[in-house]
Amino acid sequence: MEKKLSVLIIEPYFDGSHKAFIEAFCENSQHNTRLLSMPARKWKWRMRGSAFEMAKRLSELKSQGHGFDAIFCSDMLNLAELKGICPEANVPSVIYFHENQFTYPNQIKDKRDFQFGITNLSSALAAEKVLFNSRYHLEDFLSESEKVLKKMPDFKCLEILGRIRDKSQVAYPGICRNIESRIPFRDVPQISWAARWEHDKNPEDFFLAARILREQGYKFRMNVLGQSFANAPAIFNQAKAEFADVIENWGFKESKREYLEVLKGSDIFVSTANHEFFGISALEGAAAGCAAAVPNRLAYPETFNNSELLLYGSSAEDLAERLKSLIADKGLREKNAREAIDIAAQFDLRKTANLIDYELLNAVLL
């Protein structure tokens, strides 16, 4: 790289996939990076108020003699507000959209507050470069933004969407490159489902498909992984009792190593998500050697290369049919797993870091 930059990374919601992404970028970036972060609590308040805290910290850094060539932040920051209240933040900036608040699923019965999506729009306008974790996400955000702007009684400002599109690009977040691929050949396969224990990950379809398999006499073991919260869907408690005799692993793994060990010991990885902008857990399962069964919707056709072998229809019944084939036919399972391994290998974190480095440099040179 011709020039090394001093890059300030701002992440108001530093946990989970956001944390893993930032840590991987810092490890692989050629620039000099410094991180300002806040714990991942009360996301709405983080979006409303993190700019105030970050403005204070930036002022403190300036008083200590620190300066920066560029800012790299996530969609959880109100970048336009930060630039408006903090002179030190008026440097070239690149924003990364893990999600957006126009199309991120609401909790059941919640009424959507469009202001959080408007914050995303303002931040995208304030940045020199806008990165999305998939083409599906980019198009989804711009499409929904247009619908919301058209709701305005007048002065709809639809032209801003073209400005955002012109400076937007896809930068897949990538996955850990050190995942060992191991394809098991069990007569009774282990099926893994791994996601946040929330309604948008649609656990009901997974457990319904598992119930269909049991009723029709198919043998399998089960791993149900992921972080749970106080308002986790009731289906998890019900399923834990119903499938107690076939459960191998249940719940959150405290370390990435433990989590990957479960995946490496699995035969099949399943997603049933109704919301997914990339699909890190499914790709990690694929990299570990699992046959993949992911729904033909959202970002999955993009990340899994529109593979008929890896994508199933859209319903629990479609999933059950795919799982029957994978359980009964070891050859099909191996063919699926080998294709999944090849696809996962394309999403190297180093490629992502190089692309972000390049876009940060471009932003500075604009």
Side-chain angles (χ1 to χ4, degrees):
M1 179 168 290
E2 296 178 3
K3 180 181 178 182
K4 273 196 174 186
L5 303 178
S6 177
V7 178
L8 181 66
I9 301 173
I10 301 178
E11 178 50 78
Y13 205 79
F14 192 59
D15 197 11
S17 59
H18 287 224
K19 180 180 179 182
F21 174 74
I22 290 298
E23 289 177 341
F25 171 67
C26 290
E27 181 181 342
N28 291 281
S29 175
Q30 300 302 305
H31 297 313
N32 298 314
T33 59
R34 185 183 188 117
L35 173 64
L36 295 182
S37 67
M38 299 169 70
R41 296 184 64 246
K42 305 290 184 182
W43 71 266
K44 292 182 179 180
W45 285 108
R46 285 292 185 260
M47 288 195 73
R48 289 182 179 121
S50 59
F52 305 141
E53 173 65 20
M54 294 305 178
K56 181 182 74 173
R57 295 191 197 179
L58 269 168
S59 296
E60 291 170 351
L61 287 173
K62 182 181 180 182
S63 70
Q64 297 165 7
H66 299 290
F68 302 94
D69 299 309
I71 287 174
F72 181 48
C73 66
S74 80
D75 54 273
M76 294 301 292
L77 176 70
N78 189 333
L79 180 61
E81 186 173 61
L82 178 64
K83 288 185 175 239
I85 63 175
C86 179
E88 293 82 7
N90 282 288
V91 296
S93 54
V94 175
I95 188 168
Y96 192 89
F97 275 73
H98 295 273
E99 61 274 308
N100 77 83
Q101 300 308 322
F102 282 143
T103 61
Y104 194 89
N106 270 353
Q107 292 294 324
I108 297 171
K109 297 183 180 178
D110 267 6
K111 185 177 180 180
R112 185 176 298 281
D113 184 345
F114 287 125
Q115 188 56 46
F116 294 107
I118 296 294
T119 295
N120 288 155
L121 267 179
S122 299
S123 293
L125 285 168
E128 276 67 35
K129 295 284 184 178
V130 186
L131 303 178
F132 288 85
N133 53 358
S134 65
R135 175 64 55 181
Y136 164 78
H137 187 190
L138 191 163
E139 298 300 337
D140 188 53
F141 174 64
L142 291 177
S143 174
E144 196 63 27
S145 295
E146 181 178 8
K147 293 176 187 176
V148 172
L149 290 176
K150 284 181 175 180
K151 294 178 185 289
M152 292 184 174
D154 53 12
F155 303 105
K156 301 178 190 299
C157 299
L158 294 173
E159 70 280 358
I160 68 174
L161 301 179
R163 289 164 54 192
I164 293 172
R165 181 181 288 279
D166 288 345
K167 58 183 175 180
S168 292
Q169 185 172 342
V170 174
Y172 297 117
I175 60 173
C176 175
R177 64 181 183 270
N178 297 322
I179 301 175
E180 176 190 355
S181 300
R182 187 168 63 205
I183 303 176
F185 292 95
R186 296 186 182 90
D187 292 326
V188 179
Q190 283 192 27
I191 302 173
S192 285
W193 183 98
R196 285 181 288 103
W197 289 16
E198 294 187 302
H199 69 101
D200 61 294
K201 298 305 181 182
N202 189 24
E204 291 82 2
D205 270 11
F206 173 62
F207 294 122
L208 175 55
R211 189 173 300 120
I212 292 171
L213 294 178
R214 281 180 61 130
E215 289 172 351
Q216 296 184 15
Y218 287 85
K219 304 296 184 183
F220 61 92
R221 306 293 293 174
M222 178 187 293
N223 300 308
V224 179
L225 308 174
Q227 190 173 8
S228 61
F229 304 91
N231 59 347
I235 187 67
F236 285 101
N237 285 334
Q238 299 165 13
K240 188 176 183 180
E242 179 179 353
F243 296 101
D245 59 320
V246 297
I247 292 171
E248 289 284 338
N249 291 275
W250 186 268
F252 183 67
K253 294 299 179 184
E254 292 296 333
S255 74
K256 188 75 171 182
R257 183 190 61 78
E258 288 180 281
Y259 171 73
L260 292 176
E261 282 299 317
V262 175
L263 293 187
K264 286 189 289 185
S266 301
D267 300 79
I268 302 166
F269 185 95
V270 169
S271 172
T272 50
N274 285 329
H275 163 73
E276 186 57 74
F277 287 135
F278 178 63
I280 287 176
S281 60
L283 285 165
E284 287 176 335
C290 298
V294 296
N296 189 15
R297 57 176 178 259
L298 310 169
Y300 288 120
E302 178 181 351
T303 51
F304 281 86
N305 204 26
N306 285 301
S307 170
E308 292 184 5
L309 192 61
L310 311 183
L311 299 165
Y312 66 86
S314 61
S315 68
E317 290 76 15
D318 292 331
L319 173 58
E321 289 302 312
R322 177 58 53 86
L323 291 175
K324 289 179 195 176
S325 299
L326 292 172
I327 291 171
D329 188 339
K330 288 184 183 179
L332 176 65
R333 202 189 310 162
E334 180 183 4
K335 182 180 178 182
N336 179 310
R338 295 199 182 281
E339 182 173 337
I341 288 170
D342 289 342
I343 287 173
Q346 301 170 25
F347 296 98
D348 191 324
L349 285 166
R350 292 170 295 186
K351 294 180 183 178
T352 304
N354 288 340
L355 175 57
I356 296 170
D357 279 350
Y358 179 76
E359 292 303 335
L360 284 162
L361 188 58
N362 274 349
V364 170
L365 296 176
L366 279 176

